[in-house]
Structures are given as structure tokens and as C-alpha cells.
Amino acid sequence: MKTRINTYKVYTCVTWAVAALAVTLSGCTTVQTFPDKARAGDTITLSVGSADGMTRLNTTISYNSDAGSSVDLTPNIRAITKIYPDKTSEAWLFDDQLLGNIPTYSNHGPWETVVVIDLPASMPVGTGNIQVTTAATYPTAALSVNSIPISLEILDGVGAPNPFNYRVTGSTDFTGNLSSLEPLPQAVIRTPVGASAPDYGAIELVVRATIKKNDGSGTGTPTSDIRIVVDDMGSTNLSSQLQSSWVKNNKLITVNFISPTGLMKYYESRFSIVLKPGNIFADPQPSIISATYYDINGNVTTGPTPTITVE
């Protein structure tokens, strides 16, 4: 399938994205692949729920034929990425009973994790299921994909991986680079799920991070090589009118969150420090220096202790 897209080169395929979004409304794991029938060699996708921290490094996937054979699909993972509903849709803006519950039970945005796999030539013909095993964290109100078999029927014949070709201008087709949709190495600042806390007017987090080039040289990484990505929690952020800003002073990164409505939930302060390729977090590994919570009147108050993980 060829998809015409713009010069921002967002390599994606409308078909599998729409299929995965069908279950994003509840952050669930599908019990079938998309498509649910394929030939050896074809490309399939799995919608595996609202997984937090799922990567190729902590995930294994196998196909178990009903006839008794098994095939390791882990080397054939093409990409693991997240998709979201349209941010002007009813699902994103007003469906608090579904999407709104994901931040409450996970402390992260309402996303669906999608795995793209090129099936190997060794797939046995017939019915069976895919088993995903991952160390990723799931919302406390949802099952992990680890406990859900995903059915797939292998048809006779030989298929081919989908190149996800796209065209910008003219008549030249380019092959889509799905790996560019995967998360870059980052330091993720999270708060514990289910903490008992009031609403806040502001939160300030200070992180110390030593950043160097891949070869270990230098410690003066420019601000232009750093991105602070605040996790978008949909209607939760919109209700609190969340505003954020950050500043880097040598090795200290200070991130400020403000809610003029005083309705900010503690978990809205989740963010990632993402480095431009060519940079790494060096020892000592990033650490949280302070977390300060304020009520709507600007008074310091209590709040949960955040954690930081390099992923």
C-alpha cells in the first residue's frame, strides 16, 4: 500500500493505525492480529494495550501453532510504537470514562502500543496464537498482554513484507522507516500510581543529568540537543489547563508545571528528557534533586515522591 504524506516524513500506514485505534478507546489488548490471516513473509500488527516502557529490549514474541510447533518472532519485530486518537476527537476531549481512566490507572497518557512484525518464512500453515512477553507496566485496571494469547491464522503461500512506501512529490517512491517512530533513549520522570494527593496549582521538578557524546567526550551538551517532552494526558491536561516550561543550568534541568485552575493531578508532572541522537546519559546517571508541590494559592504542600528511569 502506498500512502502519500507530506515532507515531514511521518512514516505510517493509515490502515493499521485505524485498526489499532479501534481499541485505544479503552487501552485494551486485542485478541487478534491485524490482519487476522496472513502468509509467511507478510507484515502484521499487534495492538498490545497501553503498555508503559515497552521496547524491543524488554519484549519477546513467539508464535505457537495449534499443531504444536513454535516460531520465535522476536528478531522479526520491525517497530514498537504508540498511537493516539485525533486530539480534536470526542474520544480525546470528552470521553473521561474510557481514555480518562488510563492516566488515573497508569500515570501516563492514553496511548495504544502497536507492534509491527514481518513474519518469517518458517511460519507453519494453520491456526495458532502469538504470545507476547514484556517487562512493560500496564494500567492497574487492565490485563497485561503477557496473559493474553493473540490469534493468527497462517495461510498457504508466500507473502512479502509491506515496504510502507510513500511519495512526497513527483513519481519517486520511498520506503517507510518505521523504526523512526520508536522512542529515542530518554530519562523518564514518573510518580507512583494510585498515590493519595490533592489537586495542585504548580509543581517544580529539578533533575541532575550528566550528558555526553556517544564516544564519552564532553559534558557541555547544548540545550538544542535536549527536548523535554511532557506526557500528553488528553482531557486531564485540558481540564487543568496545564502549562509547562523548563530551563537547563549546567547539569541541572528544572521543569515547572502550572495549573491556573488549581486542578492539576500529581501525575500530570510526568515528563521525559530526550536526547538528540549522538548524545548519552553518562555516570552518574540522572537523579531527581527536588520535587516541590504548590496549592492554588502558591503555598508549598506535600506530594508523592517521583522516580527517574533511563530507558
Side-chain angles (χ1 to χ4, degrees):
M1 182 177 70
K2 298 179 181 179
T3 302
R4 182 182 179 91
I5 61 174
N6 60 30
T7 53
Y8 289 104
K9 298 183 180 178
V10 180
Y11 308 127
T12 186
C13 175
V14 173
T15 303
W16 66 259
V18 170
L21 278 170
V23 294
T24 303
L25 295 179
S26 56
C28 296
T29 298
T30 58
V31 295
Q32 294 177 316
T33 63
F34 180 80
D36 60 355
K37 297 178 179 64
R39 301 164 300 177
D42 282 339
T43 301
I44 63 168
T45 60
L46 314 177
S47 296
V48 296
S50 197
D52 188 4
M54 184 175 182
T55 69
R56 300 190 202 204
L57 296 178
N58 63 13
T59 302
T60 59
I61 302 177
S62 63
Y63 178 75
N64 304 305
S65 168
D66 289 341
S69 61
S70 180
V71 179
D72 182 13
L73 300 181
T74 307
N76 294 73
I77 297 174
R78 191 158 165 186
I80 299 178
T81 188
K82 305 181 185 76
I83 59 173
Y84 302 78
D86 187 298
K87 293 186 179 180
T88 61
S89 66
E90 179 181 0
W92 188 262
L93 296 175
F94 298 110
D95 204 343
D96 293 335
Q97 294 305 308
L98 291 174
L99 285 183
N101 281 340
I102 294 179
T104 301
Y105 291 106
S106 68
N107 289 12
H108 65 65
W111 62 62
E112 178 74 17
T113 302
V114 174
V115 183
V116 184
I117 300 174
D118 292 334
L119 295 175
S122 58
M123 296 295 288
V125 174
T127 58
N129 66 79
I130 289 176
Q131 181 62 58
V132 180
T133 303
T134 180
T137 302
Y138 278 77
T140 56
L143 291 175
S144 164
V145 70
N146 293 341
S147 63
I148 302 176
I150 303 172
S151 65
L152 170 65
E153 180 179 353
I154 302 301
L155 303 175
D156 194 15
V158 179
N162 191 322
F164 295 100
N165 286 345
Y166 69 97
R167 187 177 300 179
V168 181
T169 58
S171 59
T172 302
D173 290 345
F174 300 90
T175 300
N177 178 16
L178 294 186
S179 63
S180 69
L181 299 176
E182 295 184 295
L184 290 169
Q186 57 195 270
V188 185
I189 290 76
R190 301 177 173 90
T191 46
V193 178
S196 177
D199 293 340
Y200 296 101
I203 300 173
E204 180 188 78
L205 295 173
V206 180
V207 174
R208 175 181 285 119
T210 301
I211 303 169
K212 296 183 178 181
K213 296 299 181 183
N214 282 346
D215 61 6
S217 64
T219 56
T221 300
T223 302
S224 59
D225 280 8
I226 299 171
R227 296 290 186 268
I228 302 301
V229 181
V230 177
D231 196 32
D232 194 341
M233 299 188 182
S235 61
T236 303
N237 289 163
L238 295 169
S239 296
S240 67
Q241 297 182 30
L242 184 72
Q243 303 169 24
S244 65
S245 62
W246 65 280
V247 63
K248 177 177 177 289
N249 184 11
N250 294 321
K251 296 181 181 181
L252 296 183
I253 298 174
T254 302
V255 183
N256 291 294
F257 301 88
I258 298 174
S259 168
T261 64
L263 296 175
M264 179 167 43
K265 306 299 183 184
Y266 70 91
Y267 47 78
E268 291 183 75
S269 61
R270 171 174 169 146
F271 68 94
S272 294
I273 304 172
V274 186
L275 305 182
K276 184 178 180 179
N279 297 281
I280 59 172
F281 294 104
D283 291 328
Q285 289 297 290
S287 60
I288 296 174
I289 301 303
S290 65
T292 309
Y293 295 83
Y294 301 88
D295 63 21
I296 187 62
N297 297 313
N299 300 312
V300 175
T301 185
T302 59
T305 301
T307 60
I308 186 168
T309 308
V310 176
E311 301 178 353

